[in-house]
Amino acid sequence: KARMAIGGYVKLDYIQDFDGGYDRFQYEIQNAPVAGDGRPAQSGYMNMHARESRFNFDIRSINEAGRPYQIFIELDFYNLDRGAFNQAPRLRHAYGVMGRLLVGRTWGTQSDLFAVPATIDFAAGDALTGTRRAQVRWEDKLGSKFMYALALEMLEYPGIDARDTIGQASQQLPLLTGRITKKTAAGGRLFLGASVFQLRWDGLGAMPNSRALGWGFSFSGREYFGAKKHWFRWMASYGHGWGSQIVATIGTQASAIVTPEGTLETMPAWNLGGGFAFRLSNTLVTNINSNWYSIDPSEYKEGYDMKAGLSGHANLIWSPLKSLNTGVEFMMVQRTNVNDTQGTGRRLQFMVKYLF
């Protein structure tokens, strides 16, 4: 009654950086160089790696009660916190599905993968709303045209700025999120999502604890057009305390800040993205994408903290075989700091990917 599939791909990337970006493996907006912001300046460089390669196990069966279930596990090698050449496996997904119930770690309920741009760069222009998280999710049909999902999730990146303050981020409640999706007549999908969550700073006895309510909503999707099934995608979101829900801001403490009075002040944030994929032939596709984000920073944020950014990607991908992709991509990212200083980075990236 059980069956298993082994999947994944092997991918080799060659990166030619022109402006000294601070991440040598993926180009996130926050890693664009800005002159004089305190980070050591560096010149352009090359890098070649296979970190994005991944493999997964998909196991499906039927239990004694006759209900189908699935177990899915996927790993890649993007452990950037373990040294440049320490490429130990990293857990991406580990979850089980029984009927309508999902339990484990996978993309958050408000993450719309249909609206993620098709880029060669692993960061994908920092375009995604939400991250992979531990969660419990229920998903079902809503009438004949809609699907809905409700979940309790772990907020892994609270994004609280507490510089020179004793304490730590420590939630007492899980994140509550939901979404409604609808398939379109052309085969695309519309996506509407919302989340509400607690942001909490534990003063560890040295200062009072503080709490704030975070919330945000998103609207995104993909739609196909033309005889060759070209498509366009879009993604937009807005919220308060929402910074850490936008991938571009993870690590920049953009959700809230601990004020000198010890209270927690949330910051508004938004993102917007759009792009097109054009099928030039059965084996040749070009993708053009751009994404923006911004926060309304607190008056207590430092001048060289990031407050906004944008990215642009254009690529050409050739698939001479169904299991083989190769391509080239030009990308540009721009970072804007709280004091309005800006920096721009440019890269060229080549890839060969074999899917199995």
Side-chain angles (χ1 to χ4, degrees):
K1 295 182 180 180
R3 61 193 187 276
M4 182 179 73
I6 300 174
Y9 56 78
V10 175
K11 182 170 183 260
L12 179 70
D13 288 297
Y14 178 93
I15 296 169
Q16 194 68 52
D17 183 279
F18 301 111
D19 300 293
Y22 290 102
D23 189 324
R24 294 181 176 238
F25 297 93
Q26 57 182 340
Y27 217 2
E28 299 169 315
I29 293 171
Q30 62 183 273
N31 288 307
V34 181
D37 69 353
R39 295 178 294 173
Q42 58 183 1
S43 57
Y45 50 80
M46 62 78 60
N47 190 20
M48 186 162 56
H49 69 91
R51 284 179 181 267
E52 192 181 325
S53 301
R54 64 185 63 170
F55 58 92
N56 58 61
F57 303 93
D58 190 343
I59 303 168
R60 306 188 186 197
S61 188
I62 301 174
N63 66 11
E64 296 82 355
R67 292 187 178 182
Y69 69 86
Q70 175 192 15
I71 296 172
F72 185 84
I73 300 172
E74 183 174 70
L75 302 97
D76 68 2
F77 304 89
Y78 246 99
N79 272 313
L80 297 181
D81 59 340
R82 300 188 182 183
F85 299 104
N86 186 348
Q87 296 168 40
R90 178 187 69 155
L91 183 66
R92 287 175 55 84
H93 303 273
Y95 63 86
V97 180
M98 178 73 74
R100 300 299 184 187
L101 183 66
L102 179 148
V103 178
R105 175 182 173 82
T106 188
W107 286 108
T109 304
Q110 206 172 340
S111 301
D112 185 4
L113 301 186
F114 273 54
V116 175
T119 65
I120 295 175
D121 170 41
F122 185 69
D126 298 344
L128 190 62
T129 300
T131 61
R132 291 184 297 272
R133 299 167 176 162
Q135 61 190 276
V136 178
R137 181 197 304 170
W138 179 267
E139 186 170 9
D140 203 349
K141 292 182 179 179
L142 189 64
S144 60
K145 297 182 179 180
F146 297 87
M147 293 283 294
Y148 78 92
L150 295 171
L152 294 176
E153 300 180 356
M154 179 64 191
L155 181 60
E156 296 185 357
Y157 300 100
I160 298 175
D161 188 344
R163 193 171 301 149
D164 302 323
T165 301
I166 298 174
Q168 64 183 11
S170 178
Q171 274 67 247
Q172 292 180 319
L173 296 170
L175 177 147
L176 174 63
T177 182
R179 72 183 184 214
I180 296 176
T181 59
K182 179 183 182 295
K183 286 188 176 181
T184 67
R189 190 176 77 168
L190 305 177
F191 182 110
L192 182 64
S195 294
V196 61
F197 49 93
Q198 179 193 66
L199 294 170
R200 176 176 176 268
W201 187 254
D202 187 337
L204 301 179
M207 60 179 292
N209 300 336
S210 54
R211 299 176 181 85
L213 180 70
W215 58 267
F217 61 89
S218 62
F219 176 60
S220 56
R222 177 195 289 196
E223 186 60 294
Y224 295 91
F225 64 95
K228 291 186 176 181
K229 286 287 186 178
H230 312 300
W231 54 271
F232 65 92
R233 40 78 53 177
W234 70 94
M235 179 177 289
S237 74
Y238 177 82
H240 275 249
W242 189 243
S244 64
Q245 306 294 318
I246 302 170
V247 170
T249 71
I250 290 177
T252 66
Q253 316 305 342
S255 295
I257 191 166
V258 180
T259 68
E261 293 77 26
T263 60
L264 206 55
E265 177 189 340
T266 61
M267 292 176 282
W270 63 270
N271 73 330
L272 177 66
F276 290 88
F278 296 101
R279 299 184 183 276
L280 305 180
S281 72
N282 291 333
T283 60
L284 198 61
V285 178
T286 185
N287 298 277
I288 303 170
N289 291 280
S290 187
N291 300 283
W292 304 265
Y293 92 91
S294 180
I295 66 169
D296 184 5
S298 164
E299 62 178 306
Y300 301 111
K301 290 290 281 183
E302 298 288 339
Y304 287 114
D305 288 342
M306 184 174 69
K307 76 169 182 179
L310 63 88
S311 67
H313 292 70
N315 63 43
L316 189 64
I317 299 175
W318 180 47
S319 304
L321 302 172
K322 185 177 180 180
S323 58
L324 180 65
N325 294 337
T326 185
V328 59
E329 178 170 277
F330 176 77
M331 67 195 81
M332 183 194 74
V333 296
Q334 183 180 80
R335 167 176 169 153
T336 301
N337 291 331
V338 173
N339 60 8
D340 291 325
T341 57
Q342 288 185 335
T344 301
R346 300 161 298 152
R347 274 186 181 173
L348 198 61
Q349 186 163 336
F350 303 86
M351 69 100 174
V352 177
K353 179 164 70 173
Y354 178 78
L355 300 95
F356 60 89

